[in-house]
Amino acid sequence: MSNLHALDLIVIAGYFLILLGIGYWAARREKNVSSDYFLAGRDVGWLAVGASLFASNIGSEHLVGLAGTGAASGLAVGHFEWLACFMLLLLGWLFVPFYLRSGVYTMPEFLERRFNSAARWYFTWVSVIGYVLTKISVTLFAGGVVMRAVTGMDLYTSASILIVITGLYTILGGLRAVIYTEVMQAVVLIVGSAALACLGLNAVGGWSGLHAHLPPDFFSMWKPANHPDFPWTGIVFGAPILGVWYWCTDQHIVQRVLAAKNVTDARRGTVFAGFLKILPVFIFVLPGMIAAALYSDVRSGAGDSAYPALVTRLLPAGFKGLVLAGMLAALMSSLASAFNSCSTLLTWDVYRKVRPNASEQRLVEVGRASTVILVGLGLAWIPFMKYISPQLYIYLQSVQAYIAPPIAACFLFGVLSKRLTGAAAVTTLLVGFVVGALRLGLELGKRHLASGSVWAWIAGINFLHFAALLFVLSTAILVGVSLAMPAPSAAQVKDLTMQTTTVSPVSAEATHERRLNLAASAALAAVIGVLWIVFR
């Protein structure tokens, strides 16, 4: 703690006291029934839904990874953040009505309703393994980097301490504790990161000073098609596929809208989260660029140290504690939501399938116990992350590119068409998994591949281009196998596709609410369009 002033410690202590107070309040309201523990009683309002979507998405990998990639290549990584705004609108306007109408607890459960139980089993285990390989491990690693830079503790000690603190309120309070602590954490995160960005911009001499210290292409978001990390073709055709998977089908995210009071609150929450997702480019990517302009060691290749470098070298007493509290908020909110989502999947899609007559109390107990295994697996994966990419955020996105396309295809076309069959979905998921695993293996061992071979070519395809190609392959398999088999029965697809949904009469009040949501959605899309033009 040698880098922290007494005032910083007071600010951090205040953050933890408020956090524990909210967690205690949520734990007192928890009724030890599955709907309350896993879905917060399905009575969460739009403001909490939106803030929770933002906070659970913004983990320490954003603070470390987005800033690190910003320090290395500029604003281009911000495409993922602004594309998320459109994916959130897709979640609210296309998927939410089907999810809430079906009454499901998990995304694998919806996949079973739409297709079959085999698809559910596949998606359950891919999701759990994916959390270990991406969300949990990356969050722990990035949090350890931050804590080591600020406090001097080693990586594994830092990660272990953060796990204990986060697990305490997550285990006791369930999703209600996670959501309402995330509302506070979103505020702390935004205020702390905005303060860092403003102080950093002042230190570098304003926007003109930043331009003077960095190459001109750092300020252009649209890169050539042969750019190694962010080609415009990959951004346009590949990144939205990752977005559909992450924002519209991932339990870690969708569980928040499943807990909403109704469709209107869920949609408003997604729009509110969309407006919040405009901010990361300015409060996470921009500080990374500022660090590259100010510090030669960051500019020379130590990109992942960009955000911690600003915190430890630039901020005065008090501000350092505020920003560190924001960093802890990002870490803990992402980690807590990952733990809660994993426990929901393991309890609802694994244990409850094996023990369908388990009591409500038993389901909650299983949910609370399941996080221990996930924590151990996440820690075990950390040493292997360096073999994929030295930049954390690119690592996270590249691993997702190997598992996202077949899942995105099944969900997207599954709700758009009643003709697609369960056998086609399972075939698509399995083939997509094999192809994605092949690509992951080739990338891990690409240094040993013969130059010019087809295997070296596959390993060298940009991950966004690979995602687009795999999505096309997955769609072709999904459609081709479906057309070769009998169509699903009307009962199986009732109210689960756009073609088989029964439209209920809409009241005047509901029509008014719908128009307000549409207007807010249009405003969000317009703002993102203007920003893309400004930073073209």
Side-chain angles (χ1 to χ4, degrees), residues 90-354:
L90 186 67
L91 170 63
W93 289 100
L94 176 62
F95 289 99
V96 157
F98 296 107
Y99 292 159
L100 295 187
R101 189 184 298 116
S102 65
V104 298
Y105 277 58
T106 69
M107 292 298 92
E109 184 182 6
F110 181 82
L111 208 58
E112 180 181 40
R113 296 275 186 92
R114 176 58 186 87
F115 293 113
N116 55 34
S117 60
R120 178 178 185 172
W121 279 111
Y122 168 87
F123 192 33
T124 297
W125 288 111
V126 164
S127 297
V128 171
I129 294 170
Y131 287 139
V132 174
L133 298 186
T134 59
K135 293 180 178 63
I136 294 176
S137 60
V138 176
T139 299
L140 292 176
F141 182 85
V145 169
V146 170
M147 293 292 287
R148 180 176 58 191
V150 176
T151 67
M153 291 186 294
D154 67 85
L155 179 66
Y156 285 97
T157 301
S158 302
S160 300
I161 292 173
L162 292 168
I163 285 173
V164 171
I165 297 173
T166 306
L168 187 63
Y169 69 83
T170 306
I171 292 172
L172 294 177
L175 185 62
R176 190 184 304 278
V178 172
I179 286 179
Y180 287 103
T181 53
E182 284 176 342
V183 174
M184 185 271 289
Q185 288 165 331
V187 174
V188 173
L189 174 61
I190 292 171
V191 172
S193 298
L196 179 63
C198 291
L199 290 171
L201 201 58
N202 180 67
V204 81
W207 193 254
S208 60
L210 189 62
H211 266 277
H213 285 85
L214 296 175
D217 67 328
F218 268 48
F219 299 89
S220 174
M221 296 191 73
W222 295 99
K223 303 297 184 183
N226 60 352
H227 191 272
D229 296 323
F230 308 111
W232 73 266
T233 46
I235 294 297
V236 171
F237 299 108
I241 296 166
L242 305 187
V244 171
W245 169 74
Y246 180 81
W247 289 103
C248 303
T249 74
D250 190 357
Q251 182 71 21
H252 172 258
I253 292 297
V254 180
Q255 195 164 343
R256 276 103 194 103
V257 298
L258 295 181
K261 293 178 181 179
N262 49 48
V263 171
T264 297
D265 276 87
R267 281 178 173 162
R268 283 187 176 179
T270 60
V271 175
F272 178 49
F275 277 104
L276 293 179
K277 285 295 288 180
I278 296 173
L279 300 177
V281 172
F282 303 106
I283 62 177
F284 301 142
V285 180
L286 186 61
M289 297 169 62
I290 293 170
L294 290 176
Y295 309 122
S296 59
D297 57 328
V298 174
R299 187 165 55 250
S300 62
D304 284 342
S305 67
Y307 201 93
L310 281 181
V311 175
T312 56
R313 304 177 195 179
L314 179 67
L315 295 181
F319 276 101
K320 188 181 294 185
L322 176 64
V323 175
L324 182 57
M327 297 165 77
L328 291 172
L331 166 71
M332 297 171 72
S333 61
S334 183
L335 198 58
S337 58
F339 285 162
N340 184 261
S341 299
C342 274
S343 68
T344 304
L345 291 169
L346 290 172
T347 303
W348 205 257
D349 293 308
V350 179
Y351 183 82
R352 189 170 175 270
K353 288 286 285 185
V354 176

Side-chain angles (χ1 to χ4, degrees), residues 385-396:
M385 288 169 50
K386 62 184 179 182
Y387 295 111
I388 297 185
S389 174
Q391 297 179 36
L392 275 173
Y393 200 65
I394 295 178
Y395 158 77
L396 183 63

Side-chain angles (χ1 to χ4, degrees), residues 464-477:
L464 294 173
H465 290 157
F466 179 82
L469 292 173
L470 184 54
F471 183 77
V472 171
L473 174 64
S474 300
T475 303
I477 294 172

Side-chain angles (χ1 to χ4, degrees), residues 70-91:
S73 57
L75 292 174
V77 70
H79 276 300
F80 293 106
E81 303 306 301
W82 290 348
L83 276 170
C85 302
F86 291 101
M87 296 302 105
L88 281 161
L89 295 180
L90 186 67
L91 170 63

Side-chain angles (χ1 to χ4, degrees), residues 318-500:
F319 276 101
K320 188 181 294 185
L322 176 64
V323 175
L324 182 57
M327 297 165 77
L328 291 172
L331 166 71
M332 297 171 72
S333 61
S334 183
L335 198 58
S337 58
F339 285 162
N340 184 261
S341 299
C342 274
S343 68
T344 304
L345 291 169
L346 290 172
T347 303
W348 205 257
D349 293 308
V350 179
Y351 183 82
R352 189 170 175 270
K353 288 286 285 185
V354 176
R355 299 288 181 85
N357 297 321
S359 66
E360 293 283 305
Q361 184 176 357
R362 182 60 177 169
L363 291 174
V364 173
E365 290 172 354
V366 172
R368 285 174 171 157
S370 61
T371 59
V372 177
I373 299 173
L374 296 164
V375 168
L377 292 174
L379 287 170
W381 176 249
I382 291 175
F384 297 96
M385 288 169 50
K386 62 184 179 182
Y387 295 111
I388 297 185
S389 174
Q391 297 179 36
L392 275 173
Y393 200 65
I394 295 178
Y395 158 77
L396 183 63
Q397 298 294 339
S398 63
V399 171
Q400 291 173 350
Y402 308 145
I403 60 177
I407 296 170
C410 288
F411 272 90
L412 181 62
F413 297 115
V415 299
L416 292 176
S417 173
K418 66 179 182 180
R419 183 64 180 81
L420 303 181
T421 66
V426 173
T427 303
T428 301
L429 293 171
L430 292 178
V431 173
F433 176 80
V434 171
V435 175
L438 174 65
R439 162 62 190 243
L440 178 60
L442 291 173
E443 185 169 356
L444 288 170
K446 61 184 175 184
R447 291 177 297 179
H448 307 291
L449 298 175
S451 178
S453 67
V454 65
W455 304 117
W457 176 78
I458 294 174
I461 299 174
N462 176 271
F463 72 95
L464 294 173
H465 290 157
F466 179 82
L469 292 173
L470 184 54
F471 183 77
V472 171
L473 174 64
S474 300
T475 303
I477 294 172
L478 184 63
V479 174
V481 175
S482 294
L483 293 178
M485 304 184 69
S489 65
Q492 182 179 349
V493 296
K494 180 177 173 56
D495 288 333
L496 294 176
T497 74
M498 295 191 70
Q499 299 162 314
T500 59

